[in-house]
Amino acid sequence: MRIIVVGKEGQVARALAERARAHGAQVVLVGRPKLDLADPSGIEDALIETGGDVIVNAAAYTAVDQAESDPELAEAINGIGAGVVAGAATAMNVPVIHLSTDYVFDGTSDRPYREDDPVSPLGAYGASKLLGEEAVAAEAENHVILRTAWVYSPFGKNFVKTMLRLAADREELGVVGDQYGSPTSALDIADGIFAVSRNLLEKPEDRGLRGLFHMTGTGFASWAEFATEIFALSARFGGPSAKVRPIATADYPTPARRPANSRLDCRKLKEAHEVVLPPWRSSLEPCVKRLIEEARKEVAR
Ligand SMILES: NC(=O)c1ccc[n+]([C@@H]2O[C@H](COP(=O)([O-])OP(=O)(O)OC[C@H]3O[C@@H](n4cnc5c(N)ncnc54)[C@H](OP(=O)(O)O)[C@@H]3O)[C@@H](O)[C@H]2O)c1
């Protein structure tokens, strides 16, 4: 199985590259400058030239707050560009797996969101990702859209790395305590994507395997609870830790509004693909351990 991954340095792209061997798969990463989602003209040629059995689009404009002041670029990359990648998959006669987000919802529901719940993004990033979902579905019948949330990993920028960095020189941190979601390891997402890819290739006619699915870590937490667990693990492994003071969203104003409830109901993915991501705490542990070990090696160098 040769998988073309759009995105080179992103969390999910790097996780797919790292996990490929364990799944007996080959991953080829394609990104800028060869493939720029903001420049549709070269996308199809770059993908055809690369060649593969499945295309995974793990690239996106992910700067949620910045998107508020540059909605056109977010729309070009997350909306139009995503559609062009899906169109190329159709031209190549291969399935496309596209990643989307919990931020397509406004977070007012009091239960985990299902795939067919009404969408209503609160900000420009969520709106651009929704446009991408629509474009992918329009351009490729043979598609899977995976909405995920609160992604962290040993790679790139994410909440876990930010918390560990801040704890290095602060004793106490105010962290939002009234937004709930499911912390999701990019390495677990990668494992899920390999399983889904295999299913799509093994059953090319099975419509139940195609469409929109939710895929997050199992269980949920507030950002403050997530931070508390990060610091408990970090302390255990001899890393930095801080006291967490839960604060209200209203006390931490950001350019983009975020959903209070980001929880996604992942039962459809389990039923169709037999994929369930592990409990979020069990995946967090090896990530924190690895980050602390890597930081220690860096200091020793
Ligand atoms: N992070 C989260 O918490 C979260 C939550 C829900 C959903 N998601 C979705 O999950 C997917 C993966 O997210 P992630 O956290 O892995 O993202 P990430 O770490 O921010 O990486 C984004 C990737 O997109 C690439 N990219 C950005 N603009 C591009 C362009 N114009 N052309 C080509 N590549 C471009 C970046 O390339 P460079 O390496 O060249 O910069 C980078 O590799 C995205 O679809 C995201 O919307 C993420």
Side-chain angles (χ1 to χ4, degrees):
M1 183 164 66
R2 179 176 158 100
I3 302 187
I4 310 173
V5 176
V6 180
K8 278 197 326 210
E9 295 295 325
Q11 298 192 76
V12 172
R14 290 186 62 184
L16 283 160
E18 186 168 296
R19 289 285 214 236
R21 194 206 277 259
H23 292 274
Q26 190 189 355
V27 158
V28 190
L29 304 177
V30 196
R32 293 178 287 193
K34 183 172 177 175
L35 187 159
D36 184 347
L37 288 175
D39 174 14
S41 65
I43 294 178
E44 186 170 313
D45 284 351
L47 293 170
I48 289 174
E49 195 190 303
T50 307
D53 306 308
V54 180
I55 296 174
V56 177
N57 183 4
Y61 182 107
T62 53
V64 175
D65 288 317
Q66 215 170 304
E68 294 301 311
S69 46
D70 204 354
E72 292 84 9
L73 184 59
E75 203 170 284
I77 293 172
N78 295 346
I80 299 162
V84 176
V85 169
T90 302
M92 293 163 70
N93 200 22
V94 299
V96 61
I97 299 177
H98 179 78
L99 285 152
S100 192
T101 173
D102 51 327
Y103 284 14
V104 297
F105 295 115
D106 64 14
T108 53
S109 171
D110 56 8
R111 58 162 174 78
Y113 282 95
R114 291 195 283 261
E115 286 79 356
D116 55 1
D117 279 330
V119 286
S120 174
L122 295 173
Y125 166 75
S128 71
K129 292 294 292 182
L130 180 56
L131 212 66
E133 291 185 2
E134 290 162 357
V136 168
E139 293 296 328
E141 210 174 310
N142 193 2
H143 75 268
V144 164
I145 296 167
L146 299 169
R147 285 188 187 137
T148 189
W150 294 29
V151 180
Y152 69 89
S153 67
F155 321 117
K157 283 189 199 155
N158 59 67
F159 183 77
V160 177
K161 290 175 85 173
T162 303
M163 287 299 110
L164 293 176
R165 178 168 44 80
L166 293 177
D169 47 27
R170 288 210 227 153
E171 276 178 16
E172 186 181 277
L173 291 170
V175 182
V176 171
D178 57 2
Q179 288 171 25
Y180 291 87
S182 301
T184 306
S185 157
L187 291 160
D188 291 342
I189 294 177
D191 289 340
I193 288 174
F194 286 115
V196 168
S197 300
R198 227 170 260 292
N199 291 341
L200 294 179
L201 294 175
E202 275 170 13
K203 296 185 178 165
E205 306 299 333
D206 190 338
R207 295 185 71 85
L209 296 176
R210 273 88 187 156
L212 178 60
F213 298 90
H214 290 170
M215 185 167 85
T216 64
T218 298
F220 68 93
S222 68
W223 290 110
E225 288 164 346
F226 187 12
T228 303
E229 184 68 11
I230 293 165
F231 295 140
L233 290 165
S234 177
R236 175 145 43 103
F237 299 124
S241 82
K243 187 175 180 317
V244 174
R245 180 171 40 86
I247 60 171
T249 298
D251 295 327
Y252 186 73
T254 51
R257 286 170 62 210
R258 285 155 169 81
N261 173 24
S262 267
R263 293 159 57 198
L264 302 180
D265 183 327
C266 300
R267 278 178 294 183
K268 188 180 169 205
L269 184 73
K270 181 183 178 190
E271 277 152 27
H273 283 278
E274 292 176 20
V275 168
V276 180
L277 301 197
W280 69 268
R281 285 175 204 272
S282 65
S283 294
L284 182 60
E285 181 176 326
C287 178
V288 171
K289 187 165 184 258
R290 177 169 166 180
L291 285 168
I292 289 164
E293 282 169 1
E294 283 174 1
R296 213 172 272 145
K297 277 188 203 140
E298 195 59 38
V299 171
R301 218 175 270 158

